Amino acid sequence: MLTLLLKGALATLILAIVGIGGGTVLGVGLAGLSFGRAWPLRFLYRLYVFVTRGTPVLVLALLVFYGLPAMNFALGPYVAGCIVLVIYGSAFFAEVFRGGVLAIPAAQMESGRSLGLPPGAFFRKIIAPIAFRYALPPYVNVCVMMVKASSVLSIISVWELTLAAREIIERTLQVFTVLGTAALLYFLICFAVDRLGRRAERHLMRRGFVGERA
Amino acid sequence: MIDIRSLQKRFANGTEVLRGIDLAIGDGEIVALIGRSGSGKTTLLRCINFLEEYDQGEIRLDGTALWYRDEPGGRRVRMREREIRMLRQQMGIVFQQFNLFPHMTALENVCLGPLEAKARPPAEVRDLAQALLSRVGLGHRTSSYPYQLSGGEQQRVAIARALAMRPKVLLLDEITSALDPELVGEVLEVIRGLVAERMMMVIVTHELSFAREVAHRVAYLSQGRIVELGAPIEIFDRPRDPTLKDFLRRIR
């Protein structure tokens, strides 16, 4: 039983990593859209975030898994599951990054402008690192949320921790032991994500963000 | 040289901050801007490198018009971002609050401009930055982050960062106002060193004794106008304008 749950946990971990990775990349792009100069870009961003964030993961999962095949665009449950997580996460990640950029002190932006830095260098050297520092705590928060959101994918027959638990319960009827163990495994994964986040924060502290707190 | 002609600016809320400023600053000249808070001196300084936009008038650097261009129809438009960037690279500014990049060491702060904006070779930039930091007395703190430095040290790094661009003019915006009194001296000492090099400077300051010591000319601003302009001796010892007399009396 435990081996099966551990395998499920591994599947969950992989789903979370894919979702977090893809969601982060898409989120960065979307956040960039939110600072677009033309208003249609900003509108598009608002619309995307509004719709995605306002849709329950479960509905999104059903939509992608059953909705797309109806349009002759069939996907296996795993691909569908990953797409769901990436889309769902991207809206939250985008907002987190947007917040990070908005938190950059105007004075530091002025410093960059006064040096006459080209846009690429401005983003790489100033905006991205400083925004990332401000975005880190809420970013970790969304990552933890993603781990748990992956459990919903069991509904569209993605085999992961929750589905594994349900299968075992059907055979053994040990509801509390099995679900308890599954919950503990979820907790451990989330705990690990949180610790990683803390480590990253401490690392950044040493690299110059300590005084910020004063 | 910098030539400012009938510069006017009003804030979005309608307040007129600058009501027609005329000022020419020659090569190697140091002009100090003094006046009460709200007189427009910092805004004027920030207009020079376009951190602040302005509504009318023009600024020239060595004869070239800056920041705006008149289109054939007579419409006044901002220059392209690229042109603005190139022009800004010819000016250095040091801020009241230092504004160093917190995630970069002193050396990285100084290297950033020449490396990324001017695309100079890394080895050359490192040597330049190292030399500049030594010059401001921080040769031993190159790998310190801003939070590890005192206010005076941070401000000296900021000066080195501005100098690293080899600017034609250095704009100093109340650079000692945020410092503890005992740290003011070390920063002013660095500026004194630049005076000897005949660096063109525009200095907004509340340190009147310093303005008197280093400035070739002092401009007294009040309500968005230059009310009195002259050699430090004239401004400080023989002020004519009654509001300037009052201002000097209060500050002493």
Side-chain angles (χ1 to χ4, degrees), chain B residues 16-21 39-40 220-228:
Chain B
E16 284 185 87
V17 230
L18 300 177
R19 310 180 187 212
I21 299 280
S39 61
Y220 168 70
L221 275 82
S222 176
Q223 298 182 342
R225 289 199 179 87
I226 295 183
V227 178
E228 234 174 290

mmCIF file of all heavy atoms in Angstrom, chain B residues 16-21 39-40 220-228:
data_model
loop_
_atom_site.group_PDB
_atom_site.id
_atom_site.type_symbol
_atom_site.label_atom_id
_atom_site.label_comp_id
_atom_site.label_asym_id
_atom_site.label_seq_id
_atom_site.Cartn_x
_atom_site.Cartn_y
_atom_site.Cartn_z
ATOM 1 N N GLU B 16 2.525 75.669 -11.277
ATOM 2 C CA GLU B 16 3.687 75.998 -12.083
ATOM 3 C C GLU B 16 4.936 75.836 -11.242
ATOM 4 O O GLU B 16 5.114 76.558 -10.262
ATOM 5 C CB GLU B 16 3.585 77.440 -12.579
ATOM 6 C CG GLU B 16 2.602 77.616 -13.716
ATOM 7 C CD GLU B 16 2.636 79.040 -14.233
ATOM 8 O OE1 GLU B 16 3.456 79.326 -15.111
ATOM 9 O OE2 GLU B 16 1.868 79.855 -13.709
ATOM 10 N N VAL B 17 5.785 74.883 -11.606
ATOM 11 C CA VAL B 17 7.008 74.673 -10.830
ATOM 12 C C VAL B 17 8.148 75.523 -11.380
ATOM 13 O O VAL B 17 8.937 76.072 -10.644
ATOM 14 C CB VAL B 17 7.501 73.219 -10.867
ATOM 15 C CG1 VAL B 17 7.780 72.732 -9.480
ATOM 16 C CG2 VAL B 17 6.560 72.324 -11.611
ATOM 17 N N LEU B 18 8.238 75.549 -12.699
ATOM 18 C CA LEU B 18 9.282 76.346 -13.340
ATOM 19 C C LEU B 18 8.592 77.367 -14.251
ATOM 20 O O LEU B 18 7.796 77.004 -15.105
ATOM 21 C CB LEU B 18 10.221 75.441 -14.151
ATOM 22 C CG LEU B 18 10.946 74.356 -13.360
ATOM 23 C CD1 LEU B 18 11.776 73.479 -14.289
ATOM 24 C CD2 LEU B 18 11.830 74.953 -12.278
ATOM 25 N N ARG B 19 8.918 78.629 -14.041
ATOM 26 C CA ARG B 19 8.219 79.680 -14.796
ATOM 27 C C ARG B 19 9.178 80.468 -15.679
ATOM 28 O O ARG B 19 9.271 81.671 -15.569
ATOM 29 C CB ARG B 19 7.560 80.658 -13.845
ATOM 30 C CG ARG B 19 6.722 79.999 -12.785
ATOM 31 C CD ARG B 19 6.132 81.078 -11.925
ATOM 32 N NE ARG B 19 5.451 80.474 -10.802
ATOM 33 C CZ ARG B 19 4.370 80.996 -10.232
ATOM 34 N NH1 ARG B 19 3.879 82.129 -10.679
ATOM 35 N NH2 ARG B 19 3.820 80.395 -9.211
ATOM 36 N N GLY B 20 9.916 79.736 -16.487
ATOM 37 C CA GLY B 20 10.814 80.439 -17.389
ATOM 38 C C GLY B 20 12.209 80.559 -16.793
ATOM 39 O O GLY B 20 12.571 81.574 -16.219
ATOM 40 N N ILE B 21 12.966 79.476 -16.922
ATOM 41 C CA ILE B 21 14.328 79.459 -16.397
ATOM 42 C C ILE B 21 15.302 79.670 -17.547
ATOM 43 O O ILE B 21 15.216 78.991 -18.568
ATOM 44 C CB ILE B 21 14.634 78.099 -15.736
ATOM 45 C CG1 ILE B 21 13.689 77.812 -14.566
ATOM 46 C CG2 ILE B 21 16.090 78.011 -15.327
ATOM 47 C CD1 ILE B 21 14.034 78.503 -13.284
ATOM 48 N N SER B 39 10.919 75.543 -4.344
ATOM 49 C CA SER B 39 11.289 76.654 -5.225
ATOM 50 C C SER B 39 11.512 76.180 -6.658
ATOM 51 O O SER B 39 11.557 76.981 -7.579
ATOM 52 C CB SER B 39 12.548 77.339 -4.709
ATOM 53 O OG SER B 39 13.612 76.415 -4.685
ATOM 54 N N GLY B 40 11.669 74.867 -6.842
ATOM 55 C CA GLY B 40 11.834 74.329 -8.188
ATOM 56 C C GLY B 40 13.250 73.897 -8.497
ATOM 57 O O GLY B 40 13.530 73.444 -9.610
ATOM 58 N N TYR B 220 19.856 81.616 -7.094
ATOM 59 C CA TYR B 220 18.832 81.544 -6.060
ATOM 60 C C TYR B 220 17.472 81.442 -6.730
ATOM 61 O O TYR B 220 17.078 82.330 -7.493
ATOM 62 C CB TYR B 220 18.906 82.767 -5.146
ATOM 63 C CG TYR B 220 17.707 82.891 -4.248
ATOM 64 C CD1 TYR B 220 17.493 81.994 -3.197
ATOM 65 C CD2 TYR B 220 16.762 83.899 -4.441
ATOM 66 C CE1 TYR B 220 16.380 82.092 -2.379
ATOM 67 C CE2 TYR B 220 15.644 84.003 -3.633
ATOM 68 C CZ TYR B 220 15.455 83.097 -2.607
ATOM 69 O OH TYR B 220 14.354 83.190 -1.806
ATOM 70 N N LEU B 221 16.769 80.341 -6.488
ATOM 71 C CA LEU B 221 15.456 80.146 -7.078
ATOM 72 C C LEU B 221 14.358 80.438 -6.071
ATOM 73 O O LEU B 221 14.488 80.107 -4.888
ATOM 74 C CB LEU B 221 15.270 78.695 -7.563
ATOM 75 C CG LEU B 221 15.796 78.370 -8.958
ATOM 76 C CD1 LEU B 221 17.277 78.100 -8.900
ATOM 77 C CD2 LEU B 221 15.054 77.170 -9.529
ATOM 78 N N SER B 222 13.316 81.054 -6.571
ATOM 79 C CA SER B 222 12.151 81.268 -5.730
ATOM 80 C C SER B 222 10.922 81.208 -6.626
ATOM 81 O O SER B 222 10.882 81.855 -7.677
ATOM 82 C CB SER B 222 12.259 82.624 -5.038
ATOM 83 O OG SER B 222 11.078 82.860 -4.299
ATOM 84 N N GLN B 223 9.977 80.413 -6.248
ATOM 85 C CA GLN B 223 8.721 80.251 -6.990
ATOM 86 C C GLN B 223 8.934 80.012 -8.483
ATOM 87 O O GLN B 223 8.281 80.630 -9.320
ATOM 88 C CB GLN B 223 7.834 81.463 -6.753
ATOM 89 C CG GLN B 223 7.494 81.581 -5.288
ATOM 90 C CD GLN B 223 6.570 82.734 -4.977
ATOM 91 O OE1 GLN B 223 6.430 83.643 -5.783
ATOM 92 N NE2 GLN B 223 5.951 82.677 -3.828
ATOM 93 N N GLY B 224 9.852 79.125 -8.775
ATOM 94 C CA GLY B 224 10.025 78.711 -10.166
ATOM 95 C C GLY B 224 10.804 79.675 -11.039
ATOM 96 O O GLY B 224 10.818 79.525 -12.253
ATOM 97 N N ARG B 225 11.450 80.659 -10.433
ATOM 98 C CA ARG B 225 12.275 81.578 -11.228
ATOM 99 C C ARG B 225 13.653 81.702 -10.596
ATOM 100 O O ARG B 225 13.811 81.551 -9.385
ATOM 101 C CB ARG B 225 11.638 82.961 -11.254
ATOM 102 C CG ARG B 225 10.381 83.033 -12.072
ATOM 103 C CD ARG B 225 10.069 84.473 -12.441
ATOM 104 N NE ARG B 225 8.870 84.525 -13.260
ATOM 105 C CZ ARG B 225 7.639 84.597 -12.739
ATOM 106 N NH1 ARG B 225 7.473 84.656 -11.439
ATOM 107 N NH2 ARG B 225 6.589 84.596 -13.540
ATOM 108 N N ILE B 226 14.630 82.010 -11.452
ATOM 109 C CA ILE B 226 15.940 82.356 -10.902
ATOM 110 C C ILE B 226 15.877 83.840 -10.555
ATOM 111 O O ILE B 226 15.821 84.695 -11.432
ATOM 112 C CB ILE B 226 17.077 82.078 -11.908
ATOM 113 C CG1 ILE B 226 17.160 80.567 -12.172
ATOM 114 C CG2 ILE B 226 18.394 82.612 -11.367
ATOM 115 C CD1 ILE B 226 18.280 80.151 -13.100
ATOM 116 N N VAL B 227 15.851 84.113 -9.277
ATOM 117 C CA VAL B 227 15.660 85.487 -8.833
ATOM 118 C C VAL B 227 16.992 86.227 -8.773
ATOM 119 O O VAL B 227 17.078 87.405 -9.094
ATOM 120 C CB VAL B 227 14.973 85.513 -7.449
ATOM 121 C CG1 VAL B 227 14.815 86.928 -6.950
ATOM 122 C CG2 VAL B 227 13.619 84.824 -7.543
ATOM 123 N N GLU B 228 18.020 85.496 -8.364
ATOM 124 C CA GLU B 228 19.324 86.129 -8.335
ATOM 125 C C GLU B 228 20.375 85.135 -8.784
ATOM 126 O O GLU B 228 20.314 83.948 -8.443
ATOM 127 C CB GLU B 228 19.642 86.664 -6.934
ATOM 128 C CG GLU B 228 20.019 88.136 -6.979
ATOM 129 C CD GLU B 228 20.192 88.755 -5.603
ATOM 130 O OE1 GLU B 228 19.176 88.918 -4.909
ATOM 131 O OE2 GLU B 228 21.341 89.068 -5.239
#
